């Protein structure tokens, strides 16, 4: 498995990430890591019926197909924990964000089986986090060839720099969470392509996208009759991360932390970089 990820990371990649709020790193993961993750995903899917944390967004939305959604797999599946701890991801995160340290927030499995018409609505990951900080990022790894029609992610370039947090949406219903804590609803991205420039990265296994927690992104359903879209995401944070006691998110993490406290040392946020 590849041991020197920084050889695949260029100054241009760092500049793209900081300007656009997203970058695609081609061939970052080797075939051995891809097969490792595929195996871990199949184990998780086999055990999903016994996990109250696992959901089928397509079924909840009354859509056709299966959109498997499951978080915090690292706590129960050794295969995902090994990848998070040993793969190049945390070192790359440190270089892209300029952070000396990297902590795990959570991981997230999102599988759109062939013929699944449930989209991923436009959203910002950071609005769902119990976390603040400019160095909070999401890594997205496709375990299959990913095309726009199978659910490739699209990103609104530069939206991380707007300094705005829009209302998060429920994936199943598409409804906004109405609260004074947000800067109103998301703008009409699809209806204003000139105003809101987007980029869609079609990917091969081994390619990885990394985006800022406030970069607006979304994806279509999987209209392929044969091709799966197995996506695995890891959310991480750097030196400026602080706990946010956000009552609107049901995701439970950081018990005992006060609002604004550093996350360092809390068992829910294991240290990933530097490696000990």
């Amino acid at each position: 498995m590849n041991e020197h990820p920084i050889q695949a990371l260029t100054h241009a990649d760092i500049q793209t990430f900081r300007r656009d709020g997203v970058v695609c790193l081609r061939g970052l993961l080797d075939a051995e890591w891809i097969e490792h993750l595929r195996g871990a995903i199949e184990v998780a899917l086999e055990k999903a019926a016994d996990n109250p944390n696992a959901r089928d967004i397509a079924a909840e939305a009354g859509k056709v197909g299966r959109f498997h959604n499951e978080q915090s797999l690292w706590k129960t599946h050794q295969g995902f924990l090994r990848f998070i701890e040993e793969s190049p991801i945390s070192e790359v995160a440190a270089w892209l964000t300029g952070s000396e340290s990297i902590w795990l927030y959570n991981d997230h499995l999102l599988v759109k089986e062939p013929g699944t018409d449930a989209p991923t609505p436009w959203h910002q990951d950071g609005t769902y986090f119990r976390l603040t900080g400019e160095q909070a990022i999401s890594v997205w790894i496709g375990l299959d060839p990913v095309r726009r029609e199978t659910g490739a992610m699209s990103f609104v370039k530069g939206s991380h720099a707007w300094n705005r947090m829009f209302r998060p949406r429920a994936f199943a219903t598409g409804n906004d969470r109405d609260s004074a804590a947000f800067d109103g609803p998301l703008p009409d991205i699809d209806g204003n392509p000139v105003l809101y420039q987007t980029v869609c990265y079609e990917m091969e296994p081994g390619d990885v996208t990394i985006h800022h927690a406030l970069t607006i992104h979304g994806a279509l359903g999987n209209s392929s009759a044969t091709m799966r879209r197995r996506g695995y995401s890891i959310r991480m944070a750097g030196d400026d991360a602080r706990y946010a006691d956000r009552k609107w998110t049901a995701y439970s993490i950081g018990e005992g932390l006060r609002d604004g406290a550093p996350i360092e040392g809390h068992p829910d946020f294991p240290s990933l970089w530097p490696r000990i």
Side-chain angles (χ1 to χ4, degrees):
M1 299 184 183
N2 46 3
E3 297 178 353
H4 302 289
I6 299 309
Q7 293 178 359
L9 188 66
T10 68
H11 179 71
D13 292 327
I14 297 174
Q15 292 299 103
T16 297
F17 171 76
R18 295 180 180 176
R19 180 189 68 237
D20 295 344
V22 61
V23 67
C24 183
L25 303 179
R26 304 291 184 183
L28 180 67
L29 300 175
D30 61 25
E32 194 172 350
W33 272 127
I34 294 300
E35 287 305 314
H36 174 87
L37 277 179
R38 285 172 175 165
I41 287 172
E42 294 312 304
V43 170
L45 292 175
E46 289 172 4
K47 297 182 177 181
D50 301 323
N51 184 357
N53 185 41
R55 304 167 56 197
D56 182 352
I57 300 296
E60 292 179 16
K63 300 287 188 179
V64 174
R66 182 188 184 192
F67 182 7
H68 180 83
N69 186 299
E70 186 175 353
Q71 298 192 59
S72 296
L73 298 103
W74 69 273
K75 294 182 178 180
T76 54
H77 295 281
Q78 184 62 35
F80 293 107
L81 178 61
R82 182 188 170 202
F83 177 81
I84 291 169
E85 291 182 334
E86 298 181 17
S87 78
I89 296 300
S90 59
E91 183 179 2
V92 169
W95 278 82
L96 281 179
T97 62
S99 181
E100 292 185 4
S101 302
I102 295 292
W103 289 272
L104 177 66
Y105 179 73
N106 75 353
D107 61 340
H108 197 173
L109 178 60
L110 305 110
V111 180
K112 293 184 181 180
E113 298 291 357
T116 298
D117 63 356
T120 302
W122 292 111
H123 66 285
Q124 298 166 295
D125 288 345
T127 59
Y128 302 85
F129 291 176
R130 290 181 180 261
L131 190 77
T132 62
E134 279 300 307
Q135 295 166 321
I137 63 168
S138 293
V139 175
W140 198 91
I141 303 161
L143 283 303
D144 307 283
V146 183
R147 305 293 180 260
R148 184 184 292 270
E149 61 270 17
T150 66
M153 300 298 299
S154 292
F155 304 85
V156 181
K157 297 172 70 172
S159 55
H160 68 302
W162 296 352
N163 196 31
R164 300 182 73 188
M165 277 196 1
F166 299 101
R167 295 175 188 163
R169 290 178 175 175
F171 277 27
T173 65
N175 295 333
D176 287 354
R177 298 187 181 182
D178 192 2
S179 169
F182 308 114
D183 297 308
L186 280 158
D188 183 4
I189 305 299
D190 296 315
N192 295 277
V194 176
L195 185 59
Y196 303 113
Q197 185 179 2
T198 64
V199 58
C200 180
Y201 291 109
E202 296 192 333
M203 302 162 63
E204 300 299 327
D207 298 343
V208 173
T209 60
I210 302 178
H211 64 271
H212 188 282
L214 292 184
T215 301
I216 299 171
H217 59 290
L220 300 175
N222 182 359
S223 62
S224 170
T226 59
M227 189 178 297
R228 308 174 78 187
R229 196 221 68 174
R230 291 170 289 182
Y232 178 60
S233 184
I234 305 168
R235 285 70 183 265
M236 295 175 284
D239 298 329
D240 68 349
R242 296 294 182 270
Y243 183 73
D245 187 16
R246 291 170 171 166
K247 306 299 185 183
W248 63 79
T249 176
Y251 184 70
S252 179
I253 192 170
E255 183 177 357
L257 287 176
R258 68 182 188 280
D259 193 57
I263 63 172
E264 182 178 1
H266 193 283
D268 282 353
F269 305 99
S271 175
L272 300 180
W273 188 264
R275 293 195 178 104
I276 298 174

